[in-house]
Amino acid sequence: MPKDSGIGASPKRREDVRFLTGAGNYTDDINVNGQAYVHFLRSDVAHAAIRGIDTSAAETMPGVVRVFTGADFEGVGGMPCGWQVTDRHGNPMQEPPHPILAQGKVRHVGDPIAAVVADTYEQARDAAEAIDVDLEDLPAVVDMKSALAEGAPKLHDDLTSNLCYDWVLGETDDALVDKAFAEADHVTTLELTNQRLVANPMEPRVAVGTYERGTEDYTLYTTSQNPHVIRLLMCAFVLGLPEHKVRVVAPDVGGGFGTKIFHYAEEAFCTFAAKACNRPVKWTSSRTEAFMSDAHGRDHVTKIELAMDKDNNFTALRTNTLANMGAYLSTFSSSVPTWLHGTLMAGNYKTPCIQVNVKAVFTSTVPVDAYRGAGRPEATFQIERVIDMAARERGVDPIALRRQNFITEFPYDTPVALTYDTGDYNGTMDKLEAAADIAGFAARRAESEKHGKLRGLGINSYIEACGIAPSNIVGMLGARAGLYDAATVRVNATGSISVMVGAHSHGQGHETAFPQVVAEMIGIDESQIEIVHGDTSKIPFGMGTYGSRSLAVCGSAMVRATEKVINKAKKIAAHLMEASDADIELKDGVFSVAGTDKSVAWGDVTLTAYVPHNFPLEEIEPGLEETAFYDPANFTYPAGAYACEVEVDPETGKVTIERFSAADDFGNIVNPMIVDGQVHGGIGQGIGQALLEGCVYDENGQLLSGSYMDYAMPRADDVPFYTVDHSSQTPCTHNPLGVKGCGEAGAIGSPPSVVNAVIDALQSGGNEVAHIDMPLSPARVWQAMNG
């Protein structure tokens, strides 16, 4: 029988009531008395020197409060990068300044040049159009290979070149790697692109800055996944404000997908301008602005080689990747193609020799940073595509080739710096073969052929690393922040509980799942527990939500804080029942003395904590509130196997996804319904990347896909009903819940599954197509089929 409460149950998401009835409170819903509005004048060219800015006409226009340019931010810090990567020679990466408003140069279309604050948004926009900017065009640097060529125009004059870093992980001795490939019985080589994407959350970014002159207190309301990190970066690196005087609030957030992790110039500007103008200042991004100012994702060009012996055992893997940083380093951009990508190049496989080389490149484009999966999808796509190609070249079953090379003993130290603590990749593949009805595929292919369609089956096996940790290790690798999290459990006198968490919920269902954990531990109803998040004045210092870390890291902190509460409550209960606290048991919200019929209810104990009559104050403090910080000992390692079946119309090249199955190992699961939803959403985004989405620049750095007219988003009729199975569970061995993380898995496992299926379909029709770069649009597929 399914559980109806606690860990393992699937209560409906309580937060959905306010979202579905229009009662959500998003940043754009926040309006402060007397607020002004800001409009940013952005560059319409990709690379130019700023020779002059004349704001005189704009300053005299109706409603204008003040016009800002880069000159107003001289001496103010720029936007920081949170991770310093050291290159293969031991040198720190090149790290150019990133000003709030452009200074001296513009470096991508959308780079903010000036900002107009006015009484209304329309007045600010009109005044911005009156600003006269003298720009001297410079050559755009768009293609990464061209950007690295000798004599290429430099985007940042104070750097030696457009190369941010040249990084290597795994086997650093090139001679040993060359030897492994020279001795191989077979080598499969594949060149591929993981195209640039735009995250496109439903809610665009918004910032509202306020300043109280009497107290010198600042408040920033913003669409953020991690408000404490925004406050820290803005105070320590950008504006130099005293942290105790700054409050950052991230209310309901309408989707993040990574792009709302980062500290953006607009947030710092609104905070700065609120004091400078002595008025609250609000900015709401238009969708067009979002395309040219939100951090983009992916954008890797890779050559991958897989070596095998005569028995098809993997003997070596080598990858060389160009990773696009865009014009500036975003908050975590440097870590995505390195420590979040290179470390996963072992995949699920026991390949003994691996070398990963990444060259990060500055170009005249929007900065690139984490997007759902952040490095893990790029790694999985490379591995799973080259394995599928190798299986075809060797004439072996792609599932059998994967199984033959799976890691089967744990813990397992990979050649690329990770230790997998647990897993069962064969077991997960067993679940997939059953869920996807692999045995029935041949009959379904024959049926498709009767209707003139080509049917293909694509398989993928993935692993990801979640809950980036521990802080001391990632610090040695270049992280400029800790990666722990925190929770405060405050028990009220009547027994209800407020849990203040450092994680932020913007679609993950924390307000439902977190109470399930605490309720199970104490034995009270989940409705008695509320989750507080998103306001730095209310919550302990936590690192926010990204990298599928919320439950594994913040949830573990919540468990530790709840354990502290229970231990103290047992001491109070022991006093009430005149027993030793070592003999006190807690079950179903009732404290009892082991071996007796003595008991006292949870509510009686909590009331006693706050009304301590006849209470041993010298032994126990009044109150019942505890805080815990949790720093993980290791990553968690979710893994899974996916299968996709497609039909391809040979007349048009159109791809239709007919079936999609996912078998995931997420460790212990708190709310299966929420996990299903997370996987569904991730698969949808992965299908979007595989078939539809692509951010495109021309050779002049102009964004050609800057609206939904040109950037194709997946719709309901582009995706099938999914079969999802997460019954294959190997609990994480090092956190108290045994959980692993599930939010990014679907976006990691789905793109190679779709592409593998399309290639299988084309080859079944006699087309010797080895690879097609994403997105697999009808035009690309048709062109591949027709040479």
Side-chain angles (χ1 to χ4, degrees):
M1 289 287 292
K3 293 181 66 175
D4 57 8
S5 64
I7 295 174
S10 292
K12 292 182 179 178
R13 299 194 340 162
R14 62 171 74 173
E15 50 267 64
D16 286 351
V17 174
R18 69 176 185 274
F19 297 147
L20 294 173
T21 58
N25 183 38
Y26 297 91
T27 307
D28 194 51
D29 295 322
I30 296 171
N31 293 292
V32 184
N33 186 41
Q35 76 186 15
Y37 298 81
V38 60
H39 179 81
F40 292 95
L41 176 64
R42 299 182 183 274
S43 175
D44 58 2
V45 297
H47 191 199
I50 301 174
R51 297 307 182 198
I53 305 176
D54 184 356
T55 63
S56 56
E59 290 167 354
T60 63
M61 292 185 67
V64 171
V65 177
R66 183 168 170 180
V67 180
F68 294 83
T69 67
D72 294 293
F73 293 90
E74 294 287 350
V76 175
M79 312 311 297
C81 179
W83 200 300
Q84 184 183 70
V85 169
T86 300
D87 72 12
R88 66 191 305 167
H89 307 294
N91 300 315
M93 65 189 186
Q94 296 203 92
E95 193 170 357
H98 183 183
I100 294 173
L101 295 178
Q103 297 173 348
K105 263 189 177 187
V106 292
R107 295 178 174 88
H108 68 87
V109 171
D111 210 356
I113 300 172
V116 179
V117 177
D119 291 336
T120 69
Y121 170 74
E122 290 77 13
Q123 290 171 330
R125 182 192 59 201
D126 291 345
E129 293 177 357
I131 297 174
D132 184 15
V133 182
D134 182 8
L135 295 177
E136 179 184 336
D137 282 356
L138 298 171
V141 185
V142 180
D143 176 73
M144 286 188 282
K145 290 182 180 178
S146 300
L148 294 180
E150 185 176 351
K154 285 196 298 183
L155 207 55
H156 298 273
D157 296 337
D158 52 343
L159 303 188
T160 60
S161 69
N162 294 316
L163 179 68
C164 179
Y165 54 75
D166 181 355
W167 180 85
V168 171
L169 183 66
E171 180 53 67
T172 57
D173 188 333
D174 291 345
L176 288 178
V177 179
D178 291 341
K179 183 173 182 290
F181 277 88
E183 294 176 349
D185 187 74
H186 182 82
V187 175
T188 296
T189 302
L190 174 62
E191 296 187 18
L192 53 82
T193 297
N194 207 298
Q195 81 272 34
R196 180 180 288 237
L197 301 174
V198 181
N200 283 307
M202 187 177 294
E203 175 201 34
R205 289 189 297 115
V206 184
V208 183
T210 72
Y211 177 71
E212 294 294 333
R213 196 163 293 276
T215 61
E216 299 184 329
D217 288 332
Y218 296 83
T219 299
L220 171 67
Y221 301 94
T222 184
T223 47
S224 175
Q225 298 176 218
N226 44 1
H228 266 298
V229 174
I230 301 305
R231 186 177 77 161
L232 174 63
L233 295 176
M234 190 164 62
C235 292
F237 299 102
V238 186
L239 300 180
L241 303 175
E243 196 171 359
H244 68 288
K245 287 294 184 181
V246 178
R247 174 190 178 207
V248 175
V249 182
D252 290 329
V253 172
F257 312 124
T259 199
K260 293 177 182 173
I261 298 171
F262 324 119
H263 182 31
Y264 286 97
E266 294 88 355
E267 295 168 321
F269 176 87
C270 288
T271 306
F272 179 90
K275 179 180 180 181
C277 298
N278 196 27
R279 287 178 66 174
V281 175
K282 182 173 185 176
W283 171 73
T284 299
S285 172
S286 68
R287 188 59 67 180
T288 298
E289 277 186 294
F291 272 97
M292 66 176 72
S293 65
D294 289 4
H296 293 171
R298 312 286 192 256
D299 206 348
H300 287 191
V301 176
T302 298
K303 178 181 178 181
I304 182 169
E305 299 166 279
L306 175 64
M308 295 180 288
D309 65 17
K310 61 182 178 60
D311 297 317
N312 294 328
N313 296 306
F314 301 163
T315 58
L317 184 79
R318 176 166 55 196
T319 73
N320 290 279
T321 291
L322 296 180
N324 203 331
M325 296 288 98
Y328 305 99
L329 291 177
S330 180
T331 307
F332 291 116
S333 58
S334 56
S335 66
V336 173
T338 51
W339 298 108
L340 299 182
H341 156 255
T343 53
L344 272 298
M345 286 308 302
N348 310 63
Y349 310 102
K350 52 192 179 195
T351 311
C353 177
I354 300 175
Q355 185 183 75
V356 181
N357 173 233
V358 177
K359 293 182 176 70
V361 187
F362 293 112
T363 64
S364 308
T365 60
V366 171
V368 178
D369 210 317
Y371 170 67
R372 195 171 192 169
R376 282 74 53 86
E378 295 91 315
T380 299
F381 188 72
Q382 295 171 42
I383 297 167
E384 293 301 306
R385 281 294 298 121
V386 79
I387 290 175
D388 230 55
M389 180 180 286
R392 296 185 186 283
E393 290 176 352
R394 298 293 267 182
V396 298
D397 178 73
I399 294 178
L401 182 61
R402 287 172 169 85
R403 286 185 182 273
Q404 175 181 338
N405 288 280
F406 276 159
I407 298 162
T408 56
E409 296 181 1
F410 298 88
Y412 178 83
D413 294 325
T414 76
V416 280
L418 295 182
T419 299
Y420 300 165
D421 63 326
T422 186
D424 181 8
Y425 310 143
N426 277 303
T428 307
M429 187 63 80
D430 291 341
K431 296 285 186 181
L432 177 72
E433 291 204 50
D437 184 24
I438 301 297
F441 171 71
R444 293 191 293 274
R445 168 174 277 176
E447 186 65 24
S448 295
E449 289 172 350
K450 290 180 182 178
H451 297 89
K453 301 293 176 65
L454 304 176
R455 195 177 191 101
L457 170 65
I459 300 295
N460 158 73
S461 185
Y462 79 90
I463 187 169
E464 58 167 324
C466 301
I468 307 172
S471 292
N472 63 330
I473 299 298
V474 296
M476 289 188 288
L477 300 179
R480 289 166 168 162
L483 291 169
Y484 53 84
D485 221 295
T488 296
V489 176
R490 177 181 298 159
V491 182
N492 300 308
T494 55
S496 62
I497 299 174
S498 295
V499 182
M500 283 70 75
V501 295
H504 187 278
S505 184
H506 40 276
Q508 292 82 2
H510 295 173
E511 294 175 39
T512 301
F514 282 9
Q516 290 179 247
V517 175
V518 177
E520 173 116 338
M521 293 177 70
I522 296 172
I524 61 175
D525 193 271
E526 293 153 17
S527 64
Q528 293 292 97
I529 303 165
E530 70 162 348
I531 303 299
V532 180
H533 65 95
D535 186 339
T536 61
S537 69
K538 297 178 180 179
I539 63 175
F541 193 105
M543 302 309 293
T545 294
Y546 46 84
S548 302
R549 71 189 302 271
S550 295
L551 193 57
V553 186
C554 188
S556 294
M558 182 177 65
V559 168
R560 295 297 186 227
T562 304
E563 289 172 345
K564 291 181 180 181
V565 164
I566 291 171
N567 289 338
K568 183 175 180 180
K570 283 183 176 181
K571 293 179 180 179
I572 299 171
H575 170 71
L576 292 176
M577 293 184 286
E578 300 180 336
S580 168
D581 58 316
D583 295 327
I584 302 300
E585 298 175 343
L586 173 61
K587 183 178 181 181
D588 297 332
V590 175
F591 295 93
S592 60
V593 180
T596 75
D597 59 357
K598 290 184 177 181
S599 66
V600 61
W602 167 258
D604 294 330
V605 172
T606 61
L607 184 62
T608 301
Y610 289 94
V611 187
H613 297 163
N614 189 26
F615 195 95
L617 295 175
E618 69 281 0
E619 298 177 17
I620 309 173
E621 293 179 353
L624 198 52
E625 177 177 326
E626 298 289 347
T627 295
F629 286 77
Y630 181 80
D631 199 339
N634 190 3
F635 291 93
T636 64
Y637 298 101
Y642 287 9
C644 175
E645 288 187 31
V646 302
E647 276 192 344
V648 178
D649 186 337
E651 297 297 321
T652 65
K654 179 175 173 54
V655 176
T656 302
I657 297 180
E658 294 294 326
R659 296 163 66 98
F660 201 104
S661 303
D664 297 287
D665 176 3
F666 296 135
N668 294 333
I669 291 175
V670 171
N671 187 309
M673 179 196 68
I674 288 178
V675 170
D676 284 351
Q678 288 290 310
V679 174
H680 288 183
I683 293 173
Q685 284 186 281
I687 289 173
Q689 176 174 12
L691 297 183
L692 299 160
E693 299 182 50
C695 181
V696 180
Y697 286 89
D698 70 11
E699 66 276 9
N700 297 313
Q702 291 296 325
L703 182 60
L704 300 182
S705 51
S707 76
Y708 290 140
M709 293 294 290
D710 302 294
Y711 188 98
M713 295 285 285
R715 304 189 222 182
D717 60 354
D718 293 310
V719 299
F721 287 99
Y722 311 119
T723 301
V724 174
D725 182 292
H726 35 71
S727 60
S728 177
Q729 298 177 8
T730 59
C732 175
T733 60
H734 56 79
N735 68 53
L737 288 167
V739 297
K740 293 185 177 182
C742 68
E744 297 166 296
I748 294 169
S750 50
S753 304
V754 175
V755 176
N756 288 344
V758 173
I759 298 301
D760 183 58
L762 299 188
Q763 294 198 359
S764 75
N767 294 278
E768 293 302 318
V769 178
H771 179 71
I772 307 172
D773 275 327
M774 300 183 291
L776 275 63
S777 64
R780 285 189 177 185
V781 174
W782 188 89
Q783 287 169 356
M785 294 173 66
N786 289 276

